[in-house]
Amino acid sequence: MRKVTVFTPFKIDLKDFSNPDLDWLCGEVPSLRDRLPVIEDQGEVEVPLALVDDDELLAELADRGLNRGEWLERTYRYLAEGDVAAAMDELHREFQLAPPSHECRIADLLAGLSNEARVNG
């Protein structure tokens, strides 16, 4: 399962937090519950990629000034033109994938082709 690391702010209101020791202590000192702090911080959380909403991800990219359209349109155009090597180069750079030459060698091995069978690979 692929995961993504998300850097996100979080807030914990200890007044709403419940555990046996805290509940016992607040029972002994009733005014304590109202004086418990709210903890706010930021941290990294690792979540399954499937749980990341596409719209939120695109909004975050836009907030950071990253335009997905340029490289996506360029890659799509390369595929339409039949320039698979250029499309693979774009994907390699954008997503830090394995180099296209490595992927081509794997495909050749799986297809039973020799190294000379692929041009520009």
Side-chain angles (χ1 to χ4, degrees), residues 39-110:
I39 299 171
E40 295 186 57
D41 203 350
Q42 295 184 4
E44 291 183 358
V45 180
E46 198 171 89
V47 297
L49 189 56
L51 295 179
V52 177
D53 181 60
D54 292 345
D55 292 333
E56 287 182 41
L57 183 58
L58 292 175
E60 181 65 28
L61 289 173
D63 289 347
R64 293 178 184 212
L66 302 173
N67 183 355
R68 70 173 170 87
E70 294 173 13
W71 72 264
L72 182 59
E73 289 170 7
R74 194 169 44 250
T75 303
Y76 189 68
R77 187 185 76 243
Y78 287 144
L79 290 172
E81 294 170 350
D83 192 350
V84 176
M88 288 181 72
D89 283 336
E90 289 290 332
L91 291 168
H92 164 67
R93 280 192 296 276
E94 187 66 29
F95 296 107
Q96 291 78 46
L97 298 173
S101 59
H102 174 75
E103 294 299 324
C104 289
R105 281 194 296 277
I106 291 172
D108 288 346
L109 286 172
L110 292 173

Side-chain angles (χ1 to χ4, degrees), residues 17-29 32-33 36:
F17 191 74
S18 179
N19 87 8
D21 293 332
L22 183 59
D23 293 341
W24 175 84
L25 185 58
C26 289
E28 294 293 313
V29 185
L32 179 62
R33 180 74 66 183
L36 291 173

